[in-house]
Amino acid sequence: MTDNIIKDTLLKYFPAIDEETIGKYIKMADLYREWNAKINVISRTDIDNVFEHHILHSLSLAAFLGPLKEGTRILDLGTGGGFPGIPLAVFYPHCQFHLIDRIGKKIRVANEIADSIGLANVTFQHGDSGECHERFDYVISRAVMALGALASIAMRNVAPCKGKGYANRYSPGIVCLKGGDLADEIEAANRAVFDVPVSDFFSEPFFKTKSIVYVPKC
C-alpha cells in the first residue's frame, strides 16, 4: 500500500487527522516491515497488508470509542508487537497507554517502534497480566483469548465505576477486537456484552467478519 493510499484512507475515516499524525502512521507501516524481517511479529504472508489488517484494524477502536478525555488510561493486554496499542497511542496522544506481553522479543519491537515515532505516552511491561496491578479506564486486546477468560482476567485491571456520569462515551470496561462467529463466546461470558461490526465504521472487505466487543464493568 502506497503512502498516498494510507493518507487517503486515514482522511476518509478520520477527516480531522493532521499531517503529522498521518506521517507517523506511514512511518509506522515502514518500521513494522523493517522489524518483521528481523523478528516475526506479523505473519510473513500478511506483512504487505500491515496498514489495513493491523494499523487500520486497531484504529477501529478509535472509531468506536470516539473522543477520549485527557488522561484516560488504557491497558493493551497481550499486545504482541504493539497492536492495537501503538496505533491508538498515536491517535490519542493525550491518553496514557500501558502495553504488556509475555513474549520479550515482541515487546522489544513494540518499544523500538514507539521510540522511533516519538511516542511519549506509552509504557511497556514484559510479563503476564497477573503481574500488572494497576487500574485503567479500558483494557483493550486483539484476539488474545476467548471472551469469557479475557473478561475474568482483565476486569480486575478495569477502574471502578464512579456513579452514572462518565467523561468518555463509554463507561470503564474491556474493548477487544475479535473475528468470526462469536455467539458461543458471548453466551459463555455470562456478562453484558455489546458486539459491534467493524464494518459499521470501515468499508474494506477485510472487516466484514471482524467485530469490536465491549464488556462494561457496570
Side-chain angles (χ1 to χ4, degrees), residues 168-188:
N168 294 323
R169 179 182 295 172
Y170 296 100
S171 64
I174 299 165
V175 191
C176 58
L177 292 167
K178 289 270 188 182
D181 186 351
L182 300 176
D184 289 344
E185 278 194 51
I186 290 172
E187 183 178 359

Side-chain angles (χ1 to χ4, degrees), residues 31 35 41 49 54 56 64 67 69 73 77 88 111 118 132 156 175 200 208 213:
L31 287 166
W35 273 102
V41 296
N49 301 309
H54 301 275
L56 188 61
F64 171 75
K69 69 178 180 179
R73 302 185 71 237
L77 183 62
L88 290 171
N111 202 341
C132 180
R156 64 192 173 198
V175 191
D200 282 3
K208 286 184 177 179
V213 177

Side-chain angles (χ1 to χ4, degrees), residues 82-135:
F83 300 109
I86 288 181
L88 290 171
V90 172
F91 193 87
Y92 294 115
H94 57 290
C95 300
Q96 299 299 315
F97 289 79
H98 186 63
L99 278 56
I100 185 170
D101 200 273
R102 294 177 178 178
I103 302 176
K105 65 180 181 180
K106 291 187 176 182
I107 279 287
R108 179 194 167 198
V109 172
N111 202 341
E112 292 284 353
I113 289 174
D115 284 347
S116 295
I117 59 178
L119 287 182
N121 60 332
V122 183
T123 55
F124 298 89
Q125 183 177 347
H126 173 209
D128 186 86
S129 62
E131 299 173 60
C132 180
H133 306 295
E134 299 177 57
R135 298 289 185 94

Side-chain angles (χ1 to χ4, degrees), residues 1-19 21-23 25-26 29 49-60 63 91 198 201-207:
M1 184 173 284
T2 67
D3 292 357
N4 284 337
I5 293 176
I6 291 175
K7 178 178 179 177
D8 290 346
T9 303
L10 288 168
L11 287 169
K12 174 183 176 182
Y13 295 122
F14 305 101
I17 198 168
D18 58 45
E19 290 289 337
T21 304
I22 291 170
Y25 287 121
I26 291 171
N49 301 309
V50 63
F51 174 74
E52 182 178 306
H53 292 186
H54 301 275
I55 297 172
L56 188 61
H57 190 201
S58 298
L59 289 176
S60 66
F91 193 87
V198 174
F201 306 104
F202 298 158
S203 61
E204 286 77 6
F206 173 75
F207 298 115

Side-chain angles (χ1 to χ4, degrees), residues 31-51:
L31 287 166
Y32 272 110
R33 282 189 286 267
E34 292 172 12
W35 273 102
N36 211 61
K38 308 173 199 174
I39 298 173
N40 191 24
V41 296
I42 296 171
S43 168
R44 296 269 163 79
T45 61
D46 200 35
I47 191 61
D48 289 339
N49 301 309
V50 63
F51 174 74

